[in-house]
Amino acid sequence: MIVKNARLRNRAGLWQLRIVNGRFEQIAEQAALQPNTNDPAILDAEGKLLLPPFVEPHIHLDCVYTAGEPSWNQSGTLFEGIALWEKRKKTLTHEDVKTRAIKALRQQLSYGVQFVRSHVDVTDPTLTALRAMLEVRKEVRDFVELQLVAFPQDGILSFENGEQLLEESLKLGADCVGGIPHYEFTREYGVESVKKVMALACKYDKLVDIHCDEIDDGQSRFLETVAAEAFRLGIGERVTASHTVAMHYYNNAYAYKLFRLLKLAGMNFVACPTENVHLQGRFDPFPKRRGVTRVKELMENDINVCIAQDSIMDPWYPIGTGNPLRELDMCIHICQIMGYDEMLRSLDLVTDNGAKTMRVTDRYGIEEGKPANFILLDAESPFDVIKNLPPVLCSVRNGKVLMKKTPVKTEYCV
Ligand code: 17E
Ligand code: FE2
C-alpha cells in the first residue's frame, strides 16, 4: 500500500509512505499534491493529517454500559459508584462482560484508538470479569492491543482474600497489577497494599497501574509511597499512577518536594479529565475544586503523563463515547493548557505519552521500520485537531484498513 498526499506532525510539507509487509518501508517527502487516482493500492490522504493511533490507557471495560443498572448514581460520587457496582457485579455473566466490552472497543476503534489498557475488577471470588476479558483480549487482537490490569476495586487488605484474588489474576494472565490504596480501610493498609502490589509486579514480571489518591483529600499521599517504591526497586518506567486527584489539593511546598521524587522515579501518570471533574468536588461548598491532577505541571517537568476516558456509561459516569479528543478538549480547558505551543504539545497526551505508559513504543509511531499503524484525520494540522475535534477518517493497523468513516457534509440552504 502507498499513502500519498499526507501531512505529518512536526514535519512540514507533504509525504508519501510506502508500506510493505505491514510496515513502513519508506517515508519520503513529496514535491506537490498529486492528482487523485482510483488505484485501490493507494490511499490518498488529500493533504490531511496522519497520526499514530490514539491510545486509551485507562478504561474499565468490565463496567461499560451498565449505568442505571440497578439504579443511576444520584450523588455523582466515587463512593456511590462503588456501591452500585457492587450490586451490578453480582449479576455479571461471562457473555454479558464480553458483549459490552467488545461493543466499547469497536466504538473506540471508530475514534481511532488501537491501544487500550483496561482495568478489570478482581474483587470477585469467581473472577468472572477477568476470565471474560482474557478471552476478549485474544478475540480483538487484530484491531486493538488490549492490556488488562487486575484491579482490586474493593481493596487488597480490606476485602476478603483480596491479595489471593489479585495473585490468582496475575497467574491467569493479567498484564498489570492494580491497587486502590486510598480506599483501603486505613492509611496503614493503603501503604501496605502498595508494597504488596510492587512485590507482586516483581515476582510475576508485570506492569503496575494503581488507582492512586482518587479522593478529594489533600492528606491522601499514597503517591509518595508508590513513587518511593518504584524508585527503590528501579521499576519506575513500568509503574503508572492513575487519577492522582489529591495532588490537585496538595499544598505547593509539599508538591514541590514530591515532584523531585516523581522525576527520580521516572514513572507514568494517567489523568481522567471528564471522569474526575465530574466525580470530584462533590463534598465542596462553593468554590468547588476541579479535582484533576496537575497535568500541565507534570508536562512542564518532563514527567510522562497521558489522559484517558476511564468510563463509558458506568456507575461512575453516565455518558461518554470513547473519543479521546473529547478528553483532550476537556483536559486543555480544565488544566489550562491553552498557550499556543502547549496546545500543540498536548496531542502527546492521547498519542505518544499513552504509548510510553503502555510500553508499546517499539510498535508505535510513524517511522520507517515500525508497524504501519496510523489514523487519518479530517484535519490539515495539529492545531485543526485541537480546535475542531475532527472525525478519524481511516484507521490502519499493520498495513490493513480497520475502519473507514465518511464525514457528515453540511449543505447550506441559504
Ligand atoms: N472505580 C474507581 O475506583 N474509580 C473510577 N473512576 C472508576 C471505577 C470508573
Ligand atoms: Fe479508573
Side-chain angles (χ1 to χ4, degrees), residues 276-290:
N276 289 122
V277 86
H278 160 68
L279 290 176
Q280 310 312 134
R282 293 285 176 164
F283 296 92
D284 287 0
F286 286 100
K288 292 180 192 289
R289 296 166 293 181
R290 300 178 188 198

Side-chain angles (χ1 to χ4, degrees), residues 240-288:
T240 299
S242 286
H243 296 290
T244 61
V245 305
M247 194 208 284
H248 183 105
Y249 304 78
Y250 293 159
N251 71 70
N252 293 318
Y254 173 68
Y256 182 88
K257 179 209 142 187
L258 176 68
F259 266 59
R260 176 172 170 267
L261 170 62
L262 300 180
K263 284 189 80 148
L264 284 172
M267 51 187 285
N268 308 289
F269 285 80
V270 179
C272 302
T274 53
E275 181 88 9
N276 289 122
V277 86
H278 160 68
L279 290 176
Q280 310 312 134
R282 293 285 176 164
F283 296 92
D284 287 0
F286 286 100
K288 292 180 192 289

Side-chain angles (χ1 to χ4, degrees), residues 122 124-135 137-138 148 150 164-175 204 206:
V122 297
D124 164 10
T126 65
L127 296 176
T128 300
L130 183 76
R131 291 177 210 282
M133 290 305 301
L134 287 165
E135 284 187 16
R137 185 176 66 186
K138 212 185 302 167
L148 302 176
Q164 289 86 329
L165 288 164
L166 190 57
E167 185 158 3
E168 175 67 17
S169 305
L170 302 177
K171 287 186 191 155
L172 284 173
D175 305 284
Y204 291 95
K206 305 280 182 179

Side-chain angles (χ1 to χ4, degrees), residues 58-60 78 119 151 153 211 214 242-243 272 275-276 309-311 316:
H58 185 129
I59 188 165
H60 297 252
L78 171 72
H119 294 256
F151 171 52
Q153 175 71 75
H211 278 65
E214 191 186 17
S242 286
H243 296 290
C272 302
E275 181 88 9
N276 289 122
Q309 198 86 49
D310 207 16
S311 296
W316 294 271

